[in-house]
Amino acid sequence: MAAVVLALDSFKSSIDAADAVEALREGWVSVDPGRELTLLPMADGGEGTLEAFAAAVPDAVRMPVTVTGPEGRRVAASWLLLPPAPGTPDGTAVVELASTSGIELLGSPPRLRPLDAGTRGFGEAIAAALAHGVSRLVLGIGSSASTDGGIGMLTALGARFTDAASGPITTGGRGLRSLAAADLSGLPPLPAGGVTVLTDVTNPLRGDRGAAAVFGPQKGAGQDEIALLDAGLGRLANLVDVDPDTPGAGAAGGTGFGLLAWGAGLVPGADAVAELIGLPEAVAAASVVVTGEGSFDGQSAAGKAPDLVRALARDAGVPVVLVAGRIAADADASGFAHAISLTALAGSGAAALAEPARWLFAAGAELARRFPA
């Protein structure tokens, strides 16, 4: 009997992808201990990207690093070293913005800093990976805490952003309002294998669909602050030879734009992660595939991991199941052989959020009974 593939994304602010698939596995084997289960936790570039790679890639090594967090304090983080591909001398580094400059680092509930949080820590982790000598960078840029256009990251890598008096601007989006000059000549060359940026959004840098307008409120920005940030991003765009309307330039508070300025390439995060962990091949050989995320809603069909897994399973003719913390009324759940809401299992959203592993275990047990070997 072919394996069951468990390919869930993280349940944001509840349980990461690796722990989610493990809880589901434990529930399944409690009913059917002999079933072969393949665990391939998913990610789209945001929180949990490192864990997804670490769980799916044999011999991946966590490399500890201490960086400047989004509050300006030093925080312990890590990047992931993947073993070299055949014919290449050095490995690939996976660096995650979420664990170095992400909103999760601001506490729970988060101490939001819409004008002052920055991306310097992300750049410091990238610099550490380059210093190690990797031949390729894979950068996940979801879950950011800031709207600084990536200037913190670029500064950590050697760029200079100055005001009219040729002094360094302040950190965060607040510094953009005094930006007068940008010097990118100090940036290091890209590694031989290039820089691949994983993102799940296609927003431009500025405007009604831009970084400040769409994502600023999630980071604590009010209308006046949104206007200030958008204008600052405009100043940055006028100084850097990159099209601010490039899809994904507005990702992670404009960090996508900053990475484009360095020469990196932006790709849909879920697709790239799937290829790197061998998901298409695993799905094609499976008997059943299970996917999911914390909130499956109307946006889940726009490049999110569950929609990608559903498409892969459909193309392979393999039944696919959805397990989500909640399934919204506007969600398109067509194409799934079965769907389980942890909120329905637990009796409330609060109960599901409080004990996600418990209810994922229950979901796994239910699926083992529904899809016997």
Side-chain angles (χ1 to χ4, degrees):
M1 184 67 179
V4 175
V5 172
L6 307 181
L8 280 67
D9 202 345
S10 65
F11 286 45
K12 193 170 179 64
S13 302
S14 177
I15 187 170
D16 66 36
D19 288 340
V21 296
E22 176 59 26
L24 199 69
R25 183 199 70 82
E26 291 175 357
W28 196 300
V29 300
S30 72
V31 173
D32 184 3
R35 196 64 177 273
E36 182 184 354
L37 299 168
T38 299
L39 278 57
L40 292 175
M42 277 292 293
D44 55 21
E47 176 189 8
T49 297
L50 243 61
E51 286 77 6
F53 279 108
V57 179
D59 302 322
V61 178
R62 286 186 179 274
M63 307 294 286
V65 63
T66 301
V67 301
T68 305
E71 291 184 292
R73 303 191 188 102
R74 303 295 283 170
V75 298
S78 62
W79 56 275
L80 194 70
L81 178 63
L82 306 184
T88 60
D90 303 300
T92 292
V94 182
V95 188
E96 182 187 83
L97 186 149
S99 61
T100 53
S101 300
I103 198 167
E104 290 82 7
L105 298 175
L106 296 178
S108 181
R111 301 173 293 275
L112 299 175
R113 309 177 76 232
L115 296 180
D116 299 306
T119 53
R120 185 176 186 90
F122 184 44
E124 290 169 345
I126 294 170
L130 289 174
H132 187 79
V134 298
S135 58
R136 182 188 180 196
L137 287 171
V138 175
L139 308 178
I141 62 170
S143 306
S144 82
S146 60
T147 310
D148 74 346
I151 60 169
M153 169 199 67
L154 292 174
T155 299
L157 288 170
R160 293 187 70 246
F161 298 92
T162 53
D163 58 22
S166 299
I169 62 173
T170 58
T171 59
R174 188 185 301 277
L176 292 172
R177 65 182 177 180
S178 60
L179 179 63
D183 179 2
L184 307 186
S185 63
L187 290 174
L190 301 181
V195 179
T196 300
V197 182
L198 313 180
T199 178
D200 66 346
V201 304
T202 58
N203 300 71
L205 182 66
R206 300 193 61 212
D208 293 343
R209 294 186 57 251
V214 175
F215 306 112
Q218 302 169 9
K219 303 167 188 180
Q223 288 303 310
D224 290 345
E225 291 162 320
I226 289 170
L228 185 153
L229 291 166
D230 192 66
L233 293 172
R235 290 189 187 89
L236 177 63
N238 288 334
L239 295 170
V240 177
D241 188 21
V242 172
D243 183 357
D245 291 328
T246 302
T255 302
F257 180 83
L259 287 165
L260 287 168
W262 187 27
L266 275 55
V267 301
D271 298 62
V273 171
E275 289 294 332
L276 286 164
I277 68 175
L279 182 64
E281 296 81 4
V283 168
S287 58
V288 180
V289 179
V290 185
T291 189
E293 62 183 347
S295 178
F296 189 78
D297 54 30
Q299 297 184 31
S300 295
K304 301 290 187 177
D307 187 58
L308 171 65
V309 177
R310 172 170 52 181
L312 290 172
R314 180 190 61 229
D315 292 346
V318 177
V320 59
V321 175
L322 174 69
V323 176
R326 62 181 285 271
I327 301 174
D330 66 343
D332 175 14
S334 62
F336 289 110
H338 186 58
I340 296 176
S341 162
L342 301 191
T343 295
L345 279 181
S348 71
L353 283 168
E355 296 182 285
R358 172 186 174 185
W359 300 109
L360 283 162
F361 182 101
E366 178 181 325
L367 292 176
R369 290 187 286 267
R370 182 174 288 271
F371 295 95

